[in-house]
Amino acid sequence: MELVSIDKEMCRKDGICIAACPLGCLTADAEGFPVETANTGCIGCGQCVAICPHGALMHNSLPMQDFLPAQRDRADFASTAILMKTRRSVRTFKNQPIPRETLAELLDVARFAPTAKNTMQISFLAIADPDRTKALGEAIAQWMLPRPGMERYVDLHAKGQDFVLRGAPHLVLALADADSDWGLTDAAIAISYLELAAAAHGLGACWGGIVQRALTGNPELAALAGVPKDKAVRGALMLGAPKYRYALVPPRTPAATIWR
Ligand SMILES: Cc1cc2nc3c(=O)[nH]c(=O)nc-3n(C[C@H](O)[C@H](O)[C@H](O)COP(=O)(O)O)c2cc1C
């Protein structure tokens, strides 16, 4: 099957699709219409279709009904920057679960995170049941507390503080194949998307570095979390309704930048 179909009535032969393809899969034929080159390395990124202002190109393995309207004008720089600067690591949560539909809505944003070579390799494990989240946090705490370097958490744990999951009712894990190239990077981007989507929704989130380390370092804990045997935990985010609002944005160092 051909990679793309061109509507020659609609195509303006402007070459935009050819320029946008990351792998040179398209070229202009003698008449100037885009055609497939000998390069068969298409990664299915959909750029050629998405960038055409005339709707002249269809990708034969990406159904048109799966493309969404871009609506870029609805996300201006000022409000996006505010969202990114005011997002915080939330460590105090209301005793109130997030509806499953809302969690699904957040994950529906995270799936649009870029992945190297568009592998879309990241899958998610979402713990929607707060009791399960709590039990996992406690199992991780029990495994971690006797380990060297954990002394400062022993006291906190004895006082009932959840230093692992911060009392969040939900946990989302980003999974990739253990030997996968770019797994950590792709997962980190997906978790960042999820965190920002949660902030935009008025929800609280916190990265779970401790959880990630524990689940990567102990197969029994990974099994307790429900991680499939053929997957590795490459990112973790706690989620819940924040108990408090932040009044200020804490200072950060200026962007250390080498300009040339
Ligand atoms: C990779 C990564 C792992 C993290 N792991 C944890 C964690 O296990 N527990 C926690 O409370 N915070 C964790 N954090 C949150 C950081 O402490 C937090 O981002 C940092 O202090 C800056 O605060 P802010 O997110 O509010 O700007 C982690 C953050 C990152 C990026």
Short mmCIF file of all heavy atoms in Angstrom, two decimals, residues 84-91 153 162-166 188 191-192 195 205-212 236 238 246 250 252, ligand 1:
data_model
loop_
_atom_site.label_atom_id
_atom_site.label_comp_id
_atom_site.label_asym_id
_atom_site.label_seq_id
_atom_site.Cartn_x
_atom_site.Cartn_y
_atom_site.Cartn_z
N MET A 84 3.05 26.74 34.03
CA MET A 84 4.31 26.01 34.21
C MET A 84 5.08 26.52 35.44
O MET A 84 5.74 25.74 36.13
CB MET A 84 5.16 26.12 32.95
CG MET A 84 4.50 25.41 31.78
SD MET A 84 5.35 25.63 30.23
CE MET A 84 6.28 24.13 30.15
N LYS A 85 4.98 27.83 35.71
CA LYS A 85 5.71 28.37 36.86
C LYS A 85 4.99 28.11 38.17
O LYS A 85 5.62 28.04 39.23
CB LYS A 85 5.92 29.88 36.68
CG LYS A 85 6.93 30.22 35.59
CD LYS A 85 7.08 31.73 35.47
CE LYS A 85 7.98 32.10 34.30
NZ LYS A 85 8.10 33.55 34.14
N THR A 86 3.69 28.02 38.15
CA THR A 86 2.94 27.86 39.40
C THR A 86 2.68 26.39 39.75
O THR A 86 2.25 26.10 40.86
CB THR A 86 1.58 28.58 39.36
OG1 THR A 86 0.84 28.09 38.24
CG2 THR A 86 1.75 30.09 39.23
N ARG A 87 2.94 25.49 38.82
CA ARG A 87 2.85 24.06 39.15
C ARG A 87 3.81 23.77 40.31
O ARG A 87 4.91 24.27 40.34
CB ARG A 87 3.24 23.26 37.89
CG ARG A 87 3.77 21.89 38.18
CD ARG A 87 5.07 21.58 37.42
NE ARG A 87 6.23 22.31 37.86
CZ ARG A 87 6.95 21.98 38.95
NH1 ARG A 87 6.61 21.00 39.72
NH2 ARG A 87 8.03 22.68 39.28
N ARG A 88 3.36 23.05 41.32
CA ARG A 88 4.23 22.76 42.46
C ARG A 88 4.22 21.27 42.76
O ARG A 88 3.28 20.56 42.37
CB ARG A 88 3.76 23.46 43.75
CG ARG A 88 3.95 24.94 43.86
CD ARG A 88 5.32 25.37 44.39
NE ARG A 88 6.44 25.15 43.50
CZ ARG A 88 6.68 25.87 42.38
NH1 ARG A 88 5.92 26.86 42.04
NH2 ARG A 88 7.71 25.59 41.63
N SER A 89 5.24 20.80 43.45
CA SER A 89 5.22 19.44 43.99
C SER A 89 4.33 19.48 45.22
O SER A 89 4.71 20.06 46.25
CB SER A 89 6.63 18.99 44.37
OG SER A 89 7.40 18.83 43.21
N VAL A 90 3.16 18.91 45.11
CA VAL A 90 2.17 18.96 46.20
C VAL A 90 2.37 17.75 47.11
O VAL A 90 2.47 16.62 46.64
CB VAL A 90 0.75 18.99 45.59
CG1 VAL A 90 -0.31 18.82 46.67
CG2 VAL A 90 0.54 20.30 44.82
N ARG A 91 2.45 18.03 48.41
CA ARG A 91 2.71 16.93 49.36
C ARG A 91 1.68 16.88 50.48
O ARG A 91 1.88 16.19 51.49
CB ARG A 91 4.12 17.06 49.92
CG ARG A 91 5.20 16.98 48.85
CD ARG A 91 6.59 16.94 49.43
NE ARG A 91 7.61 16.87 48.39
CZ ARG A 91 8.15 17.91 47.79
NH1 ARG A 91 7.78 19.13 48.11
NH2 ARG A 91 9.09 17.74 46.87
N TYR A 153 13.97 9.43 57.80
CA TYR A 153 12.57 9.13 57.52
C TYR A 153 11.93 8.25 58.61
O TYR A 153 10.71 8.16 58.70
CB TYR A 153 12.43 8.42 56.17
CG TYR A 153 12.70 9.33 54.99
CD1 TYR A 153 13.73 9.07 54.10
CD2 TYR A 153 11.90 10.46 54.76
CE1 TYR A 153 13.97 9.90 53.01
CE2 TYR A 153 12.13 11.29 53.69
CZ TYR A 153 13.18 11.02 52.82
OH TYR A 153 13.41 11.84 51.75
N ASP A 162 3.65 9.85 55.57
CA ASP A 162 3.91 9.00 54.41
C ASP A 162 4.98 9.67 53.56
O ASP A 162 4.68 10.48 52.68
CB ASP A 162 2.58 8.83 53.64
CG ASP A 162 2.76 8.08 52.34
OD1 ASP A 162 3.86 7.56 52.09
OD2 ASP A 162 1.78 8.02 51.57
N PHE A 163 6.25 9.33 53.82
CA PHE A 163 7.35 9.98 53.09
C PHE A 163 7.50 9.44 51.67
O PHE A 163 8.21 10.00 50.85
CB PHE A 163 8.68 9.84 53.85
CG PHE A 163 9.19 8.41 53.90
CD1 PHE A 163 10.06 7.94 52.93
CD2 PHE A 163 8.77 7.56 54.91
CE1 PHE A 163 10.53 6.63 52.98
CE2 PHE A 163 9.23 6.25 54.96
CZ PHE A 163 10.10 5.78 53.99
N VAL A 164 6.81 8.33 51.38
CA VAL A 164 6.93 7.73 50.05
C VAL A 164 5.92 8.36 49.09
O VAL A 164 6.28 8.92 48.06
CB VAL A 164 6.72 6.20 50.11
CG1 VAL A 164 6.82 5.59 48.71
CG2 VAL A 164 7.71 5.55 51.05
N LEU A 165 4.65 8.27 49.45
CA LEU A 165 3.59 8.73 48.54
C LEU A 165 2.94 10.04 48.99
O LEU A 165 2.01 10.52 48.35
CB LEU A 165 2.52 7.65 48.38
CG LEU A 165 3.01 6.34 47.76
CD1 LEU A 165 1.88 5.34 47.64
CD2 LEU A 165 3.63 6.59 46.39
N ARG A 166 3.42 10.58 50.12
CA ARG A 166 2.94 11.88 50.61
C ARG A 166 1.43 11.91 50.84
O ARG A 166 0.80 12.95 50.71
CB ARG A 166 3.33 13.00 49.63
CG ARG A 166 4.80 13.02 49.28
CD ARG A 166 5.64 13.46 50.42
NE ARG A 166 7.08 13.49 50.12
CZ ARG A 166 8.01 13.74 51.02
NH1 ARG A 166 7.68 13.97 52.27
NH2 ARG A 166 9.27 13.76 50.69
N ALA A 188 9.89 10.48 31.36
CA ALA A 188 9.97 11.75 32.08
C ALA A 188 9.12 12.82 31.39
O ALA A 188 8.44 13.62 32.05
CB ALA A 188 11.43 12.21 32.17
N ILE A 191 5.46 12.04 32.13
CA ILE A 191 5.10 12.40 33.50
C ILE A 191 5.00 13.93 33.62
O ILE A 191 4.12 14.45 34.32
CB ILE A 191 6.13 11.81 34.51
CG1 ILE A 191 6.00 10.28 34.57
CG2 ILE A 191 5.97 12.42 35.90
CD1 ILE A 191 4.72 9.75 35.18
N SER A 192 5.85 14.65 32.93
CA SER A 192 5.76 16.12 32.95
C SER A 192 4.43 16.58 32.35
O SER A 192 3.80 17.51 32.85
CB SER A 192 6.91 16.75 32.17
OG SER A 192 8.10 16.58 32.87
N GLU A 195 1.78 15.92 34.88
CA GLU A 195 1.86 16.86 35.99
C GLU A 195 1.24 18.22 35.61
O GLU A 195 0.47 18.81 36.38
CB GLU A 195 3.33 17.05 36.40
CG GLU A 195 3.50 17.92 37.62
CD GLU A 195 4.96 18.21 37.94
OE1 GLU A 195 5.80 18.17 37.02
OE2 GLU A 195 5.25 18.50 39.11
N ALA A 205 0.03 17.24 42.24
CA ALA A 205 0.85 16.11 41.80
C ALA A 205 2.24 16.23 42.39
O ALA A 205 2.68 17.34 42.73
CB ALA A 205 0.93 16.09 40.27
N CYS A 206 2.90 15.10 42.53
CA CYS A 206 4.29 15.11 43.00
C CYS A 206 5.02 13.94 42.35
O CYS A 206 4.51 12.80 42.33
CB CYS A 206 4.34 15.00 44.53
SG CYS A 206 6.02 15.16 45.19
N TRP A 207 6.20 14.22 41.83
CA TRP A 207 7.02 13.17 41.23
C TRP A 207 7.37 12.14 42.30
O TRP A 207 7.69 12.49 43.44
CB TRP A 207 8.31 13.74 40.67
CG TRP A 207 8.14 14.44 39.36
CD1 TRP A 207 7.42 15.57 39.14
CD2 TRP A 207 8.67 14.05 38.10
NE1 TRP A 207 7.49 15.91 37.81
CE2 TRP A 207 8.25 15.00 37.15
CE3 TRP A 207 9.48 12.98 37.68
CZ2 TRP A 207 8.60 14.92 35.80
CZ3 TRP A 207 9.84 12.91 36.34
CH2 TRP A 207 9.40 13.87 35.42
N GLY A 208 7.39 10.89 41.90
CA GLY A 208 7.68 9.81 42.86
C GLY A 208 9.02 9.17 42.59
O GLY A 208 9.08 8.01 42.17
N GLY A 209 10.08 9.90 42.88
CA GLY A 209 11.43 9.34 42.69
C GLY A 209 11.67 8.15 43.61
O GLY A 209 12.25 7.14 43.21
N ILE A 210 11.19 8.27 44.86
CA ILE A 210 11.39 7.18 45.82
C ILE A 210 10.64 5.94 45.34
O ILE A 210 11.19 4.83 45.34
CB ILE A 210 10.89 7.60 47.24
CG1 ILE A 210 11.76 8.76 47.77
CG2 ILE A 210 10.91 6.43 48.20
CD1 ILE A 210 11.36 9.26 49.17
N VAL A 211 9.40 6.12 44.92
CA VAL A 211 8.60 4.98 44.42
C VAL A 211 9.30 4.32 43.24
O VAL A 211 9.40 3.08 43.18
CB VAL A 211 7.22 5.44 43.89
CG1 VAL A 211 6.31 4.27 43.62
CG2 VAL A 211 6.58 6.43 44.80
N GLN A 212 9.75 5.17 42.33
CA GLN A 212 10.38 4.64 41.12
C GLN A 212 11.60 3.79 41.47
O GLN A 212 11.78 2.68 40.96
CB GLN A 212 10.78 5.81 40.22
CG GLN A 212 11.29 5.38 38.86
CD GLN A 212 11.60 6.58 37.98
OE1 GLN A 212 11.05 7.66 38.17
NE2 GLN A 212 12.48 6.40 37.02
N ALA A 236 7.14 8.08 37.82
CA ALA A 236 6.03 7.91 38.77
C ALA A 236 5.52 9.27 39.20
O ALA A 236 6.30 10.21 39.40
CB ALA A 236 6.51 7.11 39.99
N MET A 238 2.53 10.98 41.90
CA MET A 238 1.42 10.90 42.84
C MET A 238 0.40 11.97 42.46
O MET A 238 0.78 13.05 42.01
CB MET A 238 1.90 11.16 44.28
CG MET A 238 2.71 10.03 44.88
SD MET A 238 4.47 10.09 44.47
CE MET A 238 5.11 11.15 45.76
N TYR A 246 -0.93 27.42 46.95
CA TYR A 246 0.31 28.18 47.14
C TYR A 246 0.05 29.65 46.83
O TYR A 246 -0.55 29.97 45.81
CB TYR A 246 1.42 27.64 46.23
CG TYR A 246 1.85 26.24 46.63
CD1 TYR A 246 1.13 25.13 46.21
CD2 TYR A 246 2.94 26.05 47.46
CE1 TYR A 246 1.49 23.85 46.61
CE2 TYR A 246 3.32 24.78 47.86
CZ TYR A 246 2.59 23.68 47.44
OH TYR A 246 2.95 22.42 47.83
N PRO A 250 8.09 29.98 44.46
CA PRO A 250 9.42 30.09 45.07
C PRO A 250 10.49 30.47 44.04
O PRO A 250 10.33 30.19 42.85
CB PRO A 250 9.68 28.69 45.63
CG PRO A 250 8.65 27.80 45.05
CD PRO A 250 7.55 28.62 44.49
N ARG A 252 13.85 30.56 41.77
CA ARG A 252 14.71 29.59 41.10
C ARG A 252 15.91 30.33 40.54
O ARG A 252 15.83 31.53 40.26
CB ARG A 252 13.96 28.89 39.95
CG ARG A 252 12.79 28.01 40.42
CD ARG A 252 13.30 26.76 41.13
NE ARG A 252 12.21 25.88 41.56
CZ ARG A 252 11.76 25.79 42.81
NH1 ARG A 252 12.29 26.56 43.76
NH2 ARG A 252 10.80 24.96 43.12
C1 LIG B 1 12.86 13.04 39.06
C2 LIG B 1 12.21 13.63 40.29
C3 LIG B 1 11.99 12.83 41.38
C4 LIG B 1 11.36 13.34 42.52
N1 LIG B 1 11.06 12.51 43.56
C5 LIG B 1 10.38 12.99 44.62
C6 LIG B 1 9.96 12.12 45.69
O1 LIG B 1 10.20 10.91 45.67
N2 LIG B 1 9.30 12.66 46.74
C7 LIG B 1 8.98 13.99 46.80
O2 LIG B 1 8.36 14.41 47.77
N3 LIG B 1 9.36 14.84 45.79
C8 LIG B 1 10.02 14.38 44.71
N4 LIG B 1 10.37 15.22 43.68
C9 LIG B 1 9.97 16.63 43.73
C10 LIG B 1 11.17 17.59 43.88
O3 LIG B 1 11.63 17.54 45.21
C11 LIG B 1 10.65 18.99 43.50
O4 LIG B 1 10.36 19.02 42.14
C12 LIG B 1 11.66 20.10 43.81
O5 LIG B 1 11.90 20.20 45.18
C13 LIG B 1 11.17 21.45 43.29
O6 LIG B 1 9.91 21.78 43.83
P1 LIG B 1 8.68 22.13 42.91
O7 LIG B 1 8.37 20.89 42.10
O8 LIG B 1 7.56 22.50 43.80
O9 LIG B 1 9.10 23.24 41.98
C14 LIG B 1 11.00 14.72 42.56
C15 LIG B 1 11.21 15.51 41.42
C16 LIG B 1 11.80 14.98 40.31
C17 LIG B 1 11.96 15.85 39.09
#
